[in-house]
Amino acid sequence: MASIDLEKMLAKIKNSQWALADIDWEAPGAELITEEQWPKLKAFMSDLMWIEHVGARGFAALAKVAPDDTLREIYTYFHAEEQRHANAEMALMRRWGMLEGDEIPEPNINLRLVIEWLDKYSDDMPLETLGSVIPMLEIALDGALCKFLLDTVKDPVCHQAFEKINDDESRHLGVGFTVLEMQGHGELYKLAIKAAGTLMRPTLILGILSYLPLLNKMRDNIVEMGLPEESLYKVMKKFETIGGRTAEGRRNPWYQIISRHGRVMIDRTNYFYHVPVDAMVKASSYIPKRMLPPIPTWVKELTWNPVA
Amino acid sequence: MKVVSMSKVKSLTKKSGAASRVKKVNSSGVGTAVADALIIGAGFAGLGSAIRLRQQGVHNVVILERGTEVGGTWRDNTYPGAACDIPSNLYSYSFAQNPDWSRSFSGSGEILAYIHGLVEQFDLLPLIRFQQNVSAIAFDENDGVWHVQTTQGETHVARSVIMASGPLSNASFPNMPGIEKYQGHKIHSAKWDHSYDFTGKKVAVIGTGASAIQIIPELVKQAESVKVFQRTAGWVLPRPDFVTPDWNKSLFRKMPAAQTAMRNALYWGHEAMALGIIWNTPLTNVVEQVAKAHLHGQVRDPWLRRQLTPHFRIGCKRVLISNDYYPALQQPNCKLITWPIATLCEKGIRCAEGIEHQFDCIVFATGFDVCKSGTPFPVTGLNGRELGEEWKRGSQAYKSASVSGYPNLFFTFGPNSGPGHNSALVYMESQIDYAVKGIRTILDDNLKVLDVRPEAQQRFNRQIQKRLAKTNWNSGCKSWYLTEDGFNATMFPGFATQFASQMKAFLSVDYRIVTA
């Protein structure tokens, strides 16, 4: 078992805190963003920042269902740290002239649907479901998106910020995979029956229906921006390798479901999956915004300002 | 050690009239008189002990008080909005009821006035030595007396000692990262700075416990902005507070039996709450539902409601009572922050979400330094044993009052005497009466040593810990009731009636006795 000592990890997390004020957001380097790069980067940063923010809400839900105080406190920190990443990414956007005043990037309709679902139902999701999805999102974020950003952006302040963000993410991944393995303990048939029961929950089905189109849309967005598809294959492989490195990890039915889904999701030739999901993306674009409920107040906590 | 000058002794004698009965010695041990009972602390417990001792014919009593005024925690806690969360008719002594409480839940000023009233009514002032901060006590087995030293350099000698220094008497700024770097104004809730003007100031309140929820509504009225830093949301029940009508006061004055009936009704009402708060029963769900309905009724925003919803069973931590806390949090100049605090910095507080929140003043409503392990000053018993050392991993006693190896010493609010659902004064009365019985035994039988037997203490604690395991306090949450190791040395696992019954009988068979 490759799990980590969560008590030690919590102490490490507490000792590794940083603030936006640690970074000089006015330092030279913003001019290194080219005019050609700017519009694509704006769209990319907006997606990235929303993934961080949605991930933050996921950690908040995990804190509710954590089985003990240590894990609860770790998830409470991770919730805040993902928020910090979103705040830092907004600070970068502002530095690059992508945000005016107190403006925050506009979430697309698929994000709005996921935000709505998270707000209403995520707190009731079992630990093994969210606890297994989040490492997959984290690894995609860390291994593909952030790497792509640092390969294409020369601004040293961006590199400085992402050095700190990546340090945080490595701890999130460490805990994420440990929890994923923890959820593989017990008899396989019991785990499978429990997973099947959860999959039949209407609230989870609603979540899947909002999550799949978001993934497809984001995948296409970032590939269009120049992210090589190869890097997506690599991160999915990495998820399978790390998640499946122990018998417990492999026995977690959610690991099996998510890793298989990851393979399908990045394979554009799988029409059986992509045609209906793309149709859902298209259908969701017709949902009038006025039909959506107001944005939850947790979204309004976002800020690019290092000082309040 | 400072030697007491004769002129000082004379002046104290003149002032208090008690020095003739109390032996005050210099470092050579030369002295004249021994007190029958010495009480440490002139708060509720200390004064109550003195009253009951005198009522039982023990007059040779001295009270050592470190401050310049009586009142203990109610003297020290003068923050805006300070009040008791137990109805005043129950948060007072049964032998000194006050028909004139102005509200059902009185403020700290009125409670302090009640304490001053006790001093006056029972003529306690002559017994009290102010500005005598006890620094150590040691038992002399040969003479069967306690030597009590103070930081002022005096040593007092007494045949018995009542520890009434209070569980909530010491408070200090918490050991938070970066606290030394913060350059703005700092205030601790238990040592309020009345000279500080909050008008137009940006204020942080760290903590959301019993003190904080009383301070916040008052600060919101005055400060430009208030940010409340919450680590754990507590359960908040509505507070049935009202102004006492004049006819009610008049009735209680003319018919004390009516006030006693009211007190009894309140007592049994609180006793019933034990079923929901101390143990996990169907009533626990009912009490939680009442608290949730209170939250739902007062807070409209679902996210704020979520932030304010506790994740532990009610009773596991102290239950809070307030009508104005939730509304205050929703004022435009108030904001609840639930991000973990990363560090304090020069201008404010940095949280884990990466933002530096800057303030003119930080209010630390972070509670008290509760003595769950160790003692507030060295207590040396038989054969030089140190109580602080023995209690290092959690304190324990026999019936909360006596500790084996430390004869003739009685505790108020000793180990496992805390109530979670009823008035502390109800518990206090039982403890005081127990101590008085012990002291009467020492005096009547002319004992040198009255020491609880270790096996009796062990038997008692095995029972208590067994019972505690079934309570909500030991159900998994972290609270100030528990030591770092999760040992509950604070609370009594039962009804107040059970506690009173436990304290009623003074079983001398459980004590080792040495006559003088």
PDB file of all heavy atoms in Angstrom, chain A residues 237-269:
ATOM      1  N   LYS A 237      -3.138   8.022 -18.886  1.00  0.00           N
ATOM      2  CA  LYS A 237      -2.306   6.844 -18.615  1.00  0.00           C
ATOM      3  C   LYS A 237      -1.720   6.952 -17.201  1.00  0.00           C
ATOM      4  O   LYS A 237      -1.666   5.980 -16.457  1.00  0.00           O
ATOM      5  CB  LYS A 237      -1.182   6.798 -19.682  1.00  0.00           C
ATOM      6  CG  LYS A 237      -0.349   5.549 -19.664  1.00  0.00           C
ATOM      7  CD  LYS A 237      -1.104   4.373 -20.258  1.00  0.00           C
ATOM      8  CE  LYS A 237      -0.410   3.069 -19.883  1.00  0.00           C
ATOM      9  NZ  LYS A 237      -1.337   1.964 -19.761  1.00  0.00           N
ATOM     10  N   LYS A 238      -1.325   8.198 -16.877  1.00  0.00           N
ATOM     11  CA  LYS A 238      -0.729   8.418 -15.560  1.00  0.00           C
ATOM     12  C   LYS A 238      -1.759   8.125 -14.451  1.00  0.00           C
ATOM     13  O   LYS A 238      -1.444   7.505 -13.435  1.00  0.00           O
ATOM     14  CB  LYS A 238      -0.262   9.888 -15.473  1.00  0.00           C
ATOM     15  CG  LYS A 238       0.726  10.166 -14.366  1.00  0.00           C
ATOM     16  CD  LYS A 238       1.254  11.591 -14.509  1.00  0.00           C
ATOM     17  CE  LYS A 238       2.002  12.030 -13.279  1.00  0.00           C
ATOM     18  NZ  LYS A 238       2.334  13.450 -13.311  1.00  0.00           N
ATOM     19  N   PHE A 239      -2.988   8.568 -14.697  1.00  0.00           N
ATOM     20  CA  PHE A 239      -4.053   8.293 -13.711  1.00  0.00           C
ATOM     21  C   PHE A 239      -4.228   6.782 -13.534  1.00  0.00           C
ATOM     22  O   PHE A 239      -4.314   6.276 -12.416  1.00  0.00           O
ATOM     23  CB  PHE A 239      -5.372   8.938 -14.167  1.00  0.00           C
ATOM     24  CG  PHE A 239      -6.534   8.615 -13.262  1.00  0.00           C
ATOM     25  CD1 PHE A 239      -6.679   9.259 -12.043  1.00  0.00           C
ATOM     26  CD2 PHE A 239      -7.484   7.652 -13.611  1.00  0.00           C
ATOM     27  CE1 PHE A 239      -7.740   8.954 -11.190  1.00  0.00           C
ATOM     28  CE2 PHE A 239      -8.544   7.341 -12.763  1.00  0.00           C
ATOM     29  CZ  PHE A 239      -8.663   8.004 -11.556  1.00  0.00           C
ATOM     30  N   GLU A 240      -4.257   6.076 -14.661  1.00  0.00           N
ATOM     31  CA  GLU A 240      -4.436   4.613 -14.598  1.00  0.00           C
ATOM     32  C   GLU A 240      -3.278   3.955 -13.860  1.00  0.00           C
ATOM     33  O   GLU A 240      -3.473   3.049 -13.047  1.00  0.00           O
ATOM     34  CB  GLU A 240      -4.511   4.037 -16.016  1.00  0.00           C
ATOM     35  CG  GLU A 240      -5.857   4.245 -16.667  1.00  0.00           C
ATOM     36  CD  GLU A 240      -5.968   3.491 -17.979  1.00  0.00           C
ATOM     37  OE1 GLU A 240      -5.688   2.268 -17.978  1.00  0.00           O
ATOM     38  OE2 GLU A 240      -6.300   4.124 -18.977  1.00  0.00           O
ATOM     39  N   THR A 241      -2.066   4.451 -14.133  1.00  0.00           N
ATOM     40  CA  THR A 241      -0.872   3.831 -13.535  1.00  0.00           C
ATOM     41  C   THR A 241      -0.840   4.078 -12.030  1.00  0.00           C
ATOM     42  O   THR A 241      -0.661   3.141 -11.242  1.00  0.00           O
ATOM     43  CB  THR A 241       0.401   4.409 -14.188  1.00  0.00           C
ATOM     44  OG1 THR A 241       0.239   4.323 -15.593  1.00  0.00           O
ATOM     45  CG2 THR A 241       1.641   3.653 -13.748  1.00  0.00           C
ATOM     46  N   ILE A 242      -1.004   5.354 -11.651  1.00  0.00           N
ATOM     47  CA  ILE A 242      -0.883   5.660 -10.209  1.00  0.00           C
ATOM     48  C   ILE A 242      -2.079   5.091  -9.441  1.00  0.00           C
ATOM     49  O   ILE A 242      -1.917   4.454  -8.410  1.00  0.00           O
ATOM     50  CB  ILE A 242      -0.739   7.179  -9.961  1.00  0.00           C
ATOM     51  CG1 ILE A 242       0.477   7.718 -10.715  1.00  0.00           C
ATOM     52  CG2 ILE A 242      -0.599   7.469  -8.469  1.00  0.00           C
ATOM     53  CD1 ILE A 242       0.668   9.211 -10.621  1.00  0.00           C
ATOM     54  N   GLY A 243      -3.273   5.307  -9.974  1.00  0.00           N
ATOM     55  CA  GLY A 243      -4.472   4.810  -9.285  1.00  0.00           C
ATOM     56  C   GLY A 243      -4.477   3.293  -9.184  1.00  0.00           C
ATOM     57  O   GLY A 243      -4.979   2.721  -8.215  1.00  0.00           O
ATOM     58  N   GLY A 244      -3.897   2.646 -10.198  1.00  0.00           N
ATOM     59  CA  GLY A 244      -3.947   1.186 -10.217  1.00  0.00           C
ATOM     60  C   GLY A 244      -2.689   0.521  -9.704  1.00  0.00           C
ATOM     61  O   GLY A 244      -2.480  -0.673  -9.904  1.00  0.00           O
ATOM     62  N   ARG A 245      -1.822   1.312  -9.040  1.00  0.00           N
ATOM     63  CA  ARG A 245      -0.535   0.733  -8.604  1.00  0.00           C
ATOM     64  C   ARG A 245      -0.722  -0.260  -7.457  1.00  0.00           C
ATOM     65  O   ARG A 245       0.150  -1.065  -7.192  1.00  0.00           O
ATOM     66  CB  ARG A 245       0.429   1.848  -8.191  1.00  0.00           C
ATOM     67  CG  ARG A 245       0.004   2.569  -6.935  1.00  0.00           C
ATOM     68  CD  ARG A 245       0.750   3.850  -6.685  1.00  0.00           C
ATOM     69  NE  ARG A 245      -0.088   4.692  -5.830  1.00  0.00           N
ATOM     70  CZ  ARG A 245       0.321   5.793  -5.259  1.00  0.00           C
ATOM     71  NH1 ARG A 245       1.528   6.235  -5.471  1.00  0.00           N
ATOM     72  NH2 ARG A 245      -0.499   6.483  -4.479  1.00  0.00           N
ATOM     73  N   THR A 246      -1.828  -0.185  -6.749  1.00  0.00           N
ATOM     74  CA  THR A 246      -2.063  -1.129  -5.643  1.00  0.00           C
ATOM     75  C   THR A 246      -3.358  -1.898  -5.900  1.00  0.00           C
ATOM     76  O   THR A 246      -4.240  -1.424  -6.641  1.00  0.00           O
ATOM     77  CB  THR A 246      -2.223  -0.396  -4.293  1.00  0.00           C
ATOM     78  OG1 THR A 246      -3.353   0.471  -4.400  1.00  0.00           O
ATOM     79  CG2 THR A 246      -0.991   0.417  -3.926  1.00  0.00           C
ATOM     80  N   ALA A 247      -3.447  -3.037  -5.228  1.00  0.00           N
ATOM     81  CA  ALA A 247      -4.658  -3.863  -5.382  1.00  0.00           C
ATOM     82  C   ALA A 247      -5.882  -3.098  -4.902  1.00  0.00           C
ATOM     83  O   ALA A 247      -6.955  -3.145  -5.520  1.00  0.00           O
ATOM     84  CB  ALA A 247      -4.490  -5.150  -4.591  1.00  0.00           C
ATOM     85  N   GLU A 248      -5.696  -2.320  -3.803  1.00  0.00           N
ATOM     86  CA  GLU A 248      -6.833  -1.556  -3.259  1.00  0.00           C
ATOM     87  C   GLU A 248      -7.337  -0.533  -4.272  1.00  0.00           C
ATOM     88  O   GLU A 248      -8.538  -0.342  -4.450  1.00  0.00           O
ATOM     89  CB  GLU A 248      -6.438  -0.832  -1.963  1.00  0.00           C
ATOM     90  CG  GLU A 248      -6.228  -1.737  -0.767  1.00  0.00           C
ATOM     91  CD  GLU A 248      -4.831  -2.320  -0.720  1.00  0.00           C
ATOM     92  OE1 GLU A 248      -4.003  -1.986  -1.604  1.00  0.00           O
ATOM     93  OE2 GLU A 248      -4.557  -3.134   0.179  1.00  0.00           O
ATOM     94  N   GLY A 249      -6.381   0.145  -4.915  1.00  0.00           N
ATOM     95  CA  GLY A 249      -6.775   1.148  -5.920  1.00  0.00           C
ATOM     96  C   GLY A 249      -7.542   0.488  -7.048  1.00  0.00           C
ATOM     97  O   GLY A 249      -8.582   0.992  -7.483  1.00  0.00           O
ATOM     98  N   ARG A 250      -7.067  -0.649  -7.496  1.00  0.00           N
ATOM     99  CA  ARG A 250      -7.718  -1.330  -8.626  1.00  0.00           C
ATOM    100  C   ARG A 250      -9.088  -1.876  -8.227  1.00  0.00           C
ATOM    101  O   ARG A 250      -9.985  -1.992  -9.055  1.00  0.00           O
ATOM    102  CB  ARG A 250      -6.829  -2.477  -9.134  1.00  0.00           C
ATOM    103  CG  ARG A 250      -5.552  -1.992  -9.822  1.00  0.00           C
ATOM    104  CD  ARG A 250      -4.826  -3.130 -10.536  1.00  0.00           C
ATOM    105  NE  ARG A 250      -4.340  -4.162  -9.637  1.00  0.00           N
ATOM    106  CZ  ARG A 250      -3.189  -4.106  -8.960  1.00  0.00           C
ATOM    107  NH1 ARG A 250      -2.397  -3.059  -9.101  1.00  0.00           N
ATOM    108  NH2 ARG A 250      -2.808  -5.101  -8.175  1.00  0.00           N
ATOM    109  N   ARG A 251      -9.226  -2.207  -6.961  1.00  0.00           N
ATOM    110  CA  ARG A 251     -10.518  -2.751  -6.498  1.00  0.00           C
ATOM    111  C   ARG A 251     -11.575  -1.673  -6.322  1.00  0.00           C
ATOM    112  O   ARG A 251     -12.749  -1.986  -6.146  1.00  0.00           O
ATOM    113  CB  ARG A 251     -10.328  -3.477  -5.167  1.00  0.00           C
ATOM    114  CG  ARG A 251      -9.696  -4.846  -5.303  1.00  0.00           C
ATOM    115  CD  ARG A 251      -8.922  -5.169  -4.049  1.00  0.00           C
ATOM    116  NE  ARG A 251      -9.813  -5.206  -2.897  1.00  0.00           N
ATOM    117  CZ  ARG A 251     -10.453  -6.307  -2.503  1.00  0.00           C
ATOM    118  NH1 ARG A 251     -10.309  -7.420  -3.179  1.00  0.00           N
ATOM    119  NH2 ARG A 251     -11.213  -6.282  -1.456  1.00  0.00           N
ATOM    120  N   ASN A 252     -11.161  -0.422  -6.316  1.00  0.00           N
ATOM    121  CA  ASN A 252     -12.136   0.665  -6.174  1.00  0.00           C
ATOM    122  C   ASN A 252     -12.926   0.768  -7.489  1.00  0.00           C
ATOM    123  O   ASN A 252     -12.366   1.141  -8.524  1.00  0.00           O
ATOM    124  CB  ASN A 252     -11.388   1.968  -5.887  1.00  0.00           C
ATOM    125  CG  ASN A 252     -12.314   3.175  -5.765  1.00  0.00           C
ATOM    126  OD1 ASN A 252     -13.475   3.120  -6.157  1.00  0.00           O
ATOM    127  ND2 ASN A 252     -11.791   4.262  -5.224  1.00  0.00           N
ATOM    128  N   PRO A 253     -14.212   0.438  -7.478  1.00  0.00           N
ATOM    129  CA  PRO A 253     -14.975   0.436  -8.740  1.00  0.00           C
ATOM    130  C   PRO A 253     -14.956   1.805  -9.425  1.00  0.00           C
ATOM    131  O   PRO A 253     -14.985   1.879 -10.652  1.00  0.00           O
ATOM    132  CB  PRO A 253     -16.399   0.099  -8.296  1.00  0.00           C
ATOM    133  CG  PRO A 253     -16.264  -0.518  -6.955  1.00  0.00           C
ATOM    134  CD  PRO A 253     -15.046   0.057  -6.339  1.00  0.00           C
ATOM    135  N   TRP A 254     -14.865   2.865  -8.619  1.00  0.00           N
ATOM    136  CA  TRP A 254     -14.883   4.204  -9.223  1.00  0.00           C
ATOM    137  C   TRP A 254     -13.603   4.466  -9.993  1.00  0.00           C
ATOM    138  O   TRP A 254     -13.620   5.183 -10.997  1.00  0.00           O
ATOM    139  CB  TRP A 254     -15.112   5.273  -8.143  1.00  0.00           C
ATOM    140  CG  TRP A 254     -16.509   5.158  -7.617  1.00  0.00           C
ATOM    141  CD1 TRP A 254     -16.898   4.529  -6.494  1.00  0.00           C
ATOM    142  CD2 TRP A 254     -17.696   5.610  -8.270  1.00  0.00           C
ATOM    143  NE1 TRP A 254     -18.260   4.561  -6.369  1.00  0.00           N
ATOM    144  CE2 TRP A 254     -18.768   5.232  -7.452  1.00  0.00           C
ATOM    145  CE3 TRP A 254     -17.961   6.283  -9.457  1.00  0.00           C
ATOM    146  CZ2 TRP A 254     -20.096   5.513  -7.777  1.00  0.00           C
ATOM    147  CZ3 TRP A 254     -19.274   6.581  -9.778  1.00  0.00           C
ATOM    148  CH2 TRP A 254     -20.324   6.196  -8.951  1.00  0.00           C
ATOM    149  N   TYR A 255     -12.494   3.883  -9.551  1.00  0.00           N
ATOM    150  CA  TYR A 255     -11.244   3.991 -10.314  1.00  0.00           C
ATOM    151  C   TYR A 255     -11.424   3.335 -11.674  1.00  0.00           C
ATOM    152  O   TYR A 255     -11.024   3.888 -12.699  1.00  0.00           O
ATOM    153  CB  TYR A 255     -10.091   3.330  -9.536  1.00  0.00           C
ATOM    154  CG  TYR A 255      -8.913   2.977 -10.408  1.00  0.00           C
ATOM    155  CD1 TYR A 255      -8.043   3.965 -10.872  1.00  0.00           C
ATOM    156  CD2 TYR A 255      -8.702   1.654 -10.804  1.00  0.00           C
ATOM    157  CE1 TYR A 255      -6.986   3.643 -11.712  1.00  0.00           C
ATOM    158  CE2 TYR A 255      -7.649   1.321 -11.643  1.00  0.00           C
ATOM    159  CZ  TYR A 255      -6.785   2.318 -12.097  1.00  0.00           C
ATOM    160  OH  TYR A 255      -5.750   1.994 -12.931  1.00  0.00           O
ATOM    161  N   GLN A 256     -12.045   2.173 -11.654  1.00  0.00           N
ATOM    162  CA  GLN A 256     -12.263   1.445 -12.915  1.00  0.00           C
ATOM    163  C   GLN A 256     -13.173   2.252 -13.847  1.00  0.00           C
ATOM    164  O   GLN A 256     -12.892   2.382 -15.037  1.00  0.00           O
ATOM    165  CB  GLN A 256     -12.877   0.067 -12.629  1.00  0.00           C
ATOM    166  CG  GLN A 256     -11.995  -0.876 -11.812  1.00  0.00           C
ATOM    167  CD  GLN A 256     -10.731  -1.304 -12.560  1.00  0.00           C
ATOM    168  OE1 GLN A 256     -10.602  -1.081 -13.757  1.00  0.00           O
ATOM    169  NE2 GLN A 256      -9.776  -1.900 -11.828  1.00  0.00           N
ATOM    170  N   ILE A 257     -14.248   2.774 -13.289  1.00  0.00           N
ATOM    171  CA  ILE A 257     -15.194   3.530 -14.119  1.00  0.00           C
ATOM    172  C   ILE A 257     -14.502   4.779 -14.702  1.00  0.00           C
ATOM    173  O   ILE A 257     -14.574   5.053 -15.901  1.00  0.00           O
ATOM    174  CB  ILE A 257     -16.439   3.947 -13.290  1.00  0.00           C
ATOM    175  CG1 ILE A 257     -17.238   2.705 -12.869  1.00  0.00           C
ATOM    176  CG2 ILE A 257     -17.329   4.923 -14.055  1.00  0.00           C
ATOM    177  CD1 ILE A 257     -18.304   2.978 -11.812  1.00  0.00           C
ATOM    178  N   ILE A 258     -13.822   5.515 -13.823  1.00  0.00           N
ATOM    179  CA  ILE A 258     -13.250   6.806 -14.242  1.00  0.00           C
ATOM    180  C   ILE A 258     -12.092   6.608 -15.226  1.00  0.00           C
ATOM    181  O   ILE A 258     -11.961   7.346 -16.206  1.00  0.00           O
ATOM    182  CB  ILE A 258     -12.831   7.624 -13.001  1.00  0.00           C
ATOM    183  CG1 ILE A 258     -14.083   8.053 -12.242  1.00  0.00           C
ATOM    184  CG2 ILE A 258     -12.005   8.845 -13.375  1.00  0.00           C
ATOM    185  CD1 ILE A 258     -13.832   8.415 -10.799  1.00  0.00           C
ATOM    186  N   SER A 259     -11.267   5.600 -14.974  1.00  0.00           N
ATOM    187  CA  SER A 259     -10.140   5.420 -15.899  1.00  0.00           C
ATOM    188  C   SER A 259     -10.645   4.979 -17.280  1.00  0.00           C
ATOM    189  O   SER A 259     -10.128   5.436 -18.297  1.00  0.00           O
ATOM    190  CB  SER A 259      -9.111   4.446 -15.333  1.00  0.00           C
ATOM    191  OG  SER A 259      -9.720   3.237 -14.997  1.00  0.00           O
ATOM    192  N   ARG A 260     -11.654   4.134 -17.305  1.00  0.00           N
ATOM    193  CA  ARG A 260     -12.209   3.727 -18.598  1.00  0.00           C
ATOM    194  C   ARG A 260     -12.860   4.907 -19.304  1.00  0.00           C
ATOM    195  O   ARG A 260     -12.702   5.102 -20.504  1.00  0.00           O
ATOM    196  CB  ARG A 260     -13.223   2.591 -18.404  1.00  0.00           C
ATOM    197  CG  ARG A 260     -12.544   1.237 -18.326  1.00  0.00           C
ATOM    198  CD  ARG A 260     -13.483   0.143 -17.854  1.00  0.00           C
ATOM    199  NE  ARG A 260     -12.840  -1.155 -17.874  1.00  0.00           N
ATOM    200  CZ  ARG A 260     -11.895  -1.551 -17.008  1.00  0.00           C
ATOM    201  NH1 ARG A 260     -11.488  -0.730 -16.052  1.00  0.00           N
ATOM    202  NH2 ARG A 260     -11.354  -2.750 -17.107  1.00  0.00           N
ATOM    203  N   HIS A 261     -13.588   5.699 -18.505  1.00  0.00           N
ATOM    204  CA  HIS A 261     -14.235   6.863 -19.103  1.00  0.00           C
ATOM    205  C   HIS A 261     -13.188   7.832 -19.657  1.00  0.00           C
ATOM    206  O   HIS A 261     -13.361   8.426 -20.723  1.00  0.00           O
ATOM    207  CB  HIS A 261     -15.125   7.581 -18.064  1.00  0.00           C
ATOM    208  CG  HIS A 261     -15.611   8.903 -18.547  1.00  0.00           C
ATOM    209  ND1 HIS A 261     -15.149  10.086 -18.020  1.00  0.00           N
ATOM    210  CD2 HIS A 261     -16.471   9.233 -19.544  1.00  0.00           C
ATOM    211  CE1 HIS A 261     -15.715  11.085 -18.664  1.00  0.00           C
ATOM    212  NE2 HIS A 261     -16.531  10.588 -19.584  1.00  0.00           N
ATOM    213  N   GLY A 262     -12.078   8.002 -18.938  1.00  0.00           N
ATOM    214  CA  GLY A 262     -11.001   8.893 -19.383  1.00  0.00           C
ATOM    215  C   GLY A 262     -10.485   8.485 -20.754  1.00  0.00           C
ATOM    216  O   GLY A 262     -10.311   9.322 -21.643  1.00  0.00           O
ATOM    217  N   ARG A 263     -10.306   7.163 -20.911  1.00  0.00           N
ATOM    218  CA  ARG A 263      -9.808   6.661 -22.201  1.00  0.00           C
ATOM    219  C   ARG A 263     -10.782   7.023 -23.335  1.00  0.00           C
ATOM    220  O   ARG A 263     -10.376   7.481 -24.394  1.00  0.00           O
ATOM    221  CB  ARG A 263      -9.680   5.131 -22.142  1.00  0.00           C
ATOM    222  CG  ARG A 263      -8.276   4.677 -21.769  1.00  0.00           C
ATOM    223  CD  ARG A 263      -8.201   3.164 -21.866  1.00  0.00           C
ATOM    224  NE  ARG A 263      -8.024   2.561 -20.561  1.00  0.00           N
ATOM    225  CZ  ARG A 263      -8.292   1.296 -20.258  1.00  0.00           C
ATOM    226  NH1 ARG A 263      -8.794   0.488 -21.159  1.00  0.00           N
ATOM    227  NH2 ARG A 263      -8.080   0.829 -19.046  1.00  0.00           N
ATOM    228  N   VAL A 264     -12.052   6.806 -23.047  1.00  0.00           N
ATOM    229  CA  VAL A 264     -13.076   7.066 -24.062  1.00  0.00           C
ATOM    230  C   VAL A 264     -13.147   8.563 -24.361  1.00  0.00           C
ATOM    231  O   VAL A 264     -13.254   8.990 -25.525  1.00  0.00           O
ATOM    232  CB  VAL A 264     -14.450   6.547 -23.557  1.00  0.00           C
ATOM    233  CG1 VAL A 264     -15.564   6.934 -24.512  1.00  0.00           C
ATOM    234  CG2 VAL A 264     -14.411   5.033 -23.380  1.00  0.00           C
ATOM    235  N   MET A 265     -13.068   9.349 -23.312  1.00  0.00           N
ATOM    236  CA  MET A 265     -13.253  10.797 -23.449  1.00  0.00           C
ATOM    237  C   MET A 265     -12.189  11.431 -24.349  1.00  0.00           C
ATOM    238  O   MET A 265     -12.485  12.330 -25.129  1.00  0.00           O
ATOM    239  CB  MET A 265     -13.222  11.416 -22.035  1.00  0.00           C
ATOM    240  CG  MET A 265     -13.846  12.769 -21.923  1.00  0.00           C
ATOM    241  SD  MET A 265     -12.603  14.044 -21.926  1.00  0.00           S
ATOM    242  CE  MET A 265     -11.689  13.664 -20.459  1.00  0.00           C
ATOM    243  N   ILE A 266     -10.951  10.946 -24.232  1.00  0.00           N
ATOM    244  CA  ILE A 266      -9.893  11.571 -25.046  1.00  0.00           C
ATOM    245  C   ILE A 266      -9.800  10.967 -26.451  1.00  0.00           C
ATOM    246  O   ILE A 266      -9.132  11.514 -27.308  1.00  0.00           O
ATOM    247  CB  ILE A 266      -8.518  11.486 -24.333  1.00  0.00           C
ATOM    248  CG1 ILE A 266      -8.176  10.052 -23.985  1.00  0.00           C
ATOM    249  CG2 ILE A 266      -8.461  12.397 -23.124  1.00  0.00           C
ATOM    250  CD1 ILE A 266      -6.779   9.863 -23.450  1.00  0.00           C
ATOM    251  N   ASP A 267     -10.506   9.874 -26.647  1.00  0.00           N
ATOM    252  CA  ASP A 267     -10.458   9.223 -27.964  1.00  0.00           C
ATOM    253  C   ASP A 267     -11.592   9.749 -28.835  1.00  0.00           C
ATOM    254  O   ASP A 267     -12.724   9.270 -28.769  1.00  0.00           O
ATOM    255  CB  ASP A 267     -10.564   7.695 -27.771  1.00  0.00           C
ATOM    256  CG  ASP A 267     -10.578   6.959 -29.093  1.00  0.00           C
ATOM    257  OD1 ASP A 267     -10.270   7.599 -30.127  1.00  0.00           O
ATOM    258  OD2 ASP A 267     -10.898   5.756 -29.093  1.00  0.00           O
ATOM    259  N   ARG A 268     -11.266  10.712 -29.706  1.00  0.00           N
ATOM    260  CA  ARG A 268     -12.287  11.359 -30.537  1.00  0.00           C
ATOM    261  C   ARG A 268     -12.895  10.399 -31.574  1.00  0.00           C
ATOM    262  O   ARG A 268     -13.920  10.703 -32.184  1.00  0.00           O
ATOM    263  CB  ARG A 268     -11.669  12.558 -31.237  1.00  0.00           C
ATOM    264  CG  ARG A 268     -11.955  13.885 -30.514  1.00  0.00           C
ATOM    265  CD  ARG A 268     -13.378  14.276 -30.821  1.00  0.00           C
ATOM    266  NE  ARG A 268     -13.885  15.353 -29.952  1.00  0.00           N
ATOM    267  CZ  ARG A 268     -15.179  15.535 -29.748  1.00  0.00           C
ATOM    268  NH1 ARG A 268     -16.051  14.719 -30.271  1.00  0.00           N
ATOM    269  NH2 ARG A 268     -15.599  16.509 -29.003  1.00  0.00           N
ATOM    270  N   THR A 269     -12.233   9.266 -31.780  1.00  0.00           N
ATOM    271  CA  THR A 269     -12.749   8.329 -32.796  1.00  0.00           C
ATOM    272  C   THR A 269     -13.880   7.443 -32.242  1.00  0.00           C
ATOM    273  O   THR A 269     -14.510   6.697 -32.973  1.00  0.00           O
ATOM    274  CB  THR A 269     -11.626   7.405 -33.314  1.00  0.00           C
ATOM    275  OG1 THR A 269     -11.137   6.644 -32.208  1.00  0.00           O
ATOM    276  CG2 THR A 269     -10.499   8.204 -33.953  1.00  0.00           C
TER     277      THR A 269
END
